[in-house]
Amino acid sequence: MPLPDASVVKRHQPSRKTVAQELAVHARVLFGPHPFTAELSKDQLARLLPEYFAMSQAFPHLQAGSQKDLVFDAISRNRDVPRHVELTSAVANFICWDETGGHSLVLRGGNAALPNILNTEHFHSRLLRKDASRLLGRDIHPNYGTTTRRYLRILYDGLSSKDPLVRCAYMVAFELHADEMIQQLWATLVKAFNVRADDLQYFRVHVGGQDPAEKYHGEMTSRLISKVVPADGVARFLDEFGRAYLVNREWCQSLVRLGSLDAGGREELEHSGRCHCGSVRFYVRAPAEIHAVRCNCSICRMSGFLHLLVPEDKLRIECGEHFLTTYRFNKNIARHTFCRVCGVKPFYRPRSNPSGFSVNVQCLDRRTIEAVKIDDFDGENWEQAIASIGADWPA
């Protein structure tokens, strides 16, 4: 991964831009347009918003609790809480306080307003729920889907890391990404639903108006760098920052790719796949929990192919179709397609369903797969086996 020049976080070089602004620019150069800049349909946004709402609801609590084990470590060692833990805790606690409405409440009503913090309608996630429910014409509920659950676990691991440099990188990356993410989602929602931007309160509070809150979150977390990252750790910080920023971007990309429900009512998402050399790349829509088939016919046994059967419209070839070569044998019905560079068979047209595809689960990116359930199929005795189950199975 290319890295921005280390001068963006050196403390002795003043710049017209703040460190937060410099890092945000470099992140956009590294990763390109945000996934939410895509033109999304109302149906896509209806699937996306409950997942986004789940993140919005969970994040402040994860951020506030992320320092817990670091404090218990000091307790168990009978030592002072380290300075770097004090610093990240101060920022984490404020972000939670702000996201749960406390900061704006006190700004409006002073200390006398503090008892009103018990009114959880001030939580920013509640503002989002109101906006989203109005747009969709129904009350939404958080959907902690497979991708969002995995994302939040990775995020918490970074925010709670015992390594202060990693912890700082995840805090900075989340807040700088949030500014870009919220702005792009706001613009996409306004366009898709043809509403006034200022009518969406959650977005206006974070990135709208003359004095948006998200800007200060980015500045606050970025100032941790000069206090937590040693001079000889700048390059490592930038590397960790890039990794952390990518975690957030990949989650957003997965939300854009969320599909509809399969025949069994399970939510589908888009899994990416490739041959061994990467010449052939593709996407397939399937649930996070994959139902696969292991066949014992001669070619499957030799190649170790693990079958995921999908209709034709569930598979999309991204690139490299011209690298595929076809092999047929026996009945000459199945069209076995191999990459002619590396010899791997990422998918093919099976005998049981020549108008669809059998995708090799071994070629899929495991990060979007929650579990794989495997059934065995007696491909050595194909006719008898297919007749006994009365269903489409591979060959």
Side-chain angles (χ1 to χ4, degrees):
M1 178 187 301
L3 296 173
D5 189 275
S7 65
V8 300
V9 294
K10 285 184 178 176
R11 309 186 240 318
H12 62 276
Q13 292 187 0
S15 170
R16 295 178 186 176
K17 293 181 179 178
T18 65
V19 171
Q21 291 170 330
E22 292 277 6
L23 284 171
V25 169
H26 280 290
R28 288 164 190 164
V29 170
L30 283 174
F31 303 115
H34 194 274
F36 288 169
T37 59
E39 189 167 338
L40 303 177
S41 68
K42 290 182 180 180
D43 286 343
Q44 285 178 293
L45 290 166
R47 292 191 292 269
L48 181 156
L49 284 171
E51 301 270 351
Y52 185 94
F53 174 45
M55 178 282 297
S56 176
Q57 188 179 70
F59 168 71
H61 306 295
L62 296 179
Q63 176 71 92
S66 62
Q67 317 293 295
K68 168 181 68 69
D69 289 339
L70 301 170
V71 175
F72 271 113
D73 185 63
I75 293 171
S76 66
R77 295 170 180 269
N78 196 24
R79 296 177 180 175
D80 282 344
V81 173
R83 171 71 169 160
H84 62 80
V85 175
E86 291 180 334
L87 290 167
T88 53
S89 292
V91 174
N93 291 337
F94 176 79
I95 288 173
C96 179
W97 173 244
D98 193 24
E99 288 291 324
T100 53
H103 181 57
S104 60
L105 195 69
V106 172
L107 283 178
R108 292 194 305 269
N111 288 339
L114 282 171
N116 294 329
I117 193 62
L118 297 178
N119 179 4
T120 59
E121 293 301 315
H122 296 294
F123 283 23
H124 288 183
S125 61
R126 293 294 188 99
L127 302 181
L128 175 63
R129 175 178 241 159
K130 290 178 181 177
D131 287 345
S133 297
R134 186 167 67 85
L135 291 174
L136 299 178
R138 56 179 171 79
D139 190 27
I140 73 162
H141 301 279
N143 183 33
Y144 290 97
T146 300
T147 303
T148 297
R149 291 200 306 271
R150 182 182 293 109
Y151 164 63
L152 291 174
R153 291 190 191 104
I154 295 171
L155 181 62
Y156 180 80
D157 286 344
L159 295 173
S160 61
S161 173
K162 289 185 177 181
D163 184 337
L165 186 148
V166 173
R167 199 161 69 247
C168 179
Y170 269 81
M171 293 178 75
V172 175
F174 181 88
E175 293 303 332
L176 295 185
H177 172 263
D179 183 67
E180 182 185 18
M181 171 181 69
I182 295 171
Q183 289 196 52
Q184 297 301 339
L185 183 57
W186 191 13
T188 297
L189 289 170
V190 167
K191 182 177 181 180
F193 290 93
N194 193 26
V195 295
R196 291 180 64 251
D198 285 346
D199 289 342
L200 302 179
Q201 188 178 5
Y202 166 86
F203 299 91
R204 190 178 70 249
V205 165
H206 281 85
V207 295
Q210 297 297 317
D211 200 26
E214 206 59 46
K215 174 181 70 175
Y216 297 106
H217 287 195
E219 293 293 343
M220 183 190 306
T221 53
S222 296
R223 289 191 184 187
L224 283 172
I225 300 170
S226 64
K227 299 180 181 296
V228 172
V229 179
D232 60 356
V234 170
R236 188 165 74 89
F237 169 81
L238 290 172
D239 189 32
E240 294 293 344
F241 170 80
R243 295 177 193 277
Y245 204 95
L246 185 59
V247 166
N248 298 297
R249 286 287 295 262
E250 286 184 335
W251 173 68
C252 292
Q253 184 64 62
S254 71
L255 296 191
V256 170
R257 292 175 177 167
L258 280 176
S260 54
L261 302 180
D262 71 355
R266 297 177 302 170
E267 183 182 85
E268 292 182 328
L269 60 146
E270 201 166 56
H271 303 276
S272 63
R274 48 171 284 180
C275 64
H276 188 267
C277 68
S279 296
V280 180
R281 296 178 182 271
F282 64 96
Y283 295 98
V284 61
R285 287 195 177 278
E289 295 184 0
I290 288 178
H291 184 189
V293 176
R294 181 170 46 220
C295 176
N296 66 352
C297 77
S298 59
I299 193 167
C300 290
R301 188 173 64 249
M302 290 181 180
S303 65
F305 198 98
L306 197 57
H307 302 263
L308 168 64
L309 293 168
V310 297
E312 184 173 34
D313 62 358
K314 298 291 186 182
L315 186 136
R316 174 169 61 88
I317 300 174
E318 179 184 10
C319 65
E321 191 168 6
H322 60 287
F323 284 107
L324 293 172
T325 186
T326 301
Y327 169 65
R328 301 189 189 212
F329 69 100
N330 196 7
K331 301 290 185 179
N332 289 315
I333 299 174
R335 287 171 284 167
H336 299 270
T337 45
F338 298 83
C339 171
R340 56 187 171 89
V341 179
C342 64
V344 166
K345 180 170 69 170
F347 51 81
Y348 78 107
R349 300 279 192 177
R351 177 182 173 187
S352 60
N353 183 21
S355 63
F357 287 99
S358 181
V359 175
N360 190 353
V361 175
Q362 312 281 25
C363 292
L364 298 180
D365 187 335
R366 291 302 175 117
R367 289 176 296 179
T368 55
I369 299 175
E370 185 169 286
V372 179
K373 178 185 176 183
I374 301 175
D375 289 325
D376 289 314
F377 176 75
D378 186 11
E380 283 189 333
N381 302 289
W382 193 89
E383 284 79 7
Q384 298 93 318
I386 203 74
S388 68
I389 60 174
D392 288 337
W393 287 62

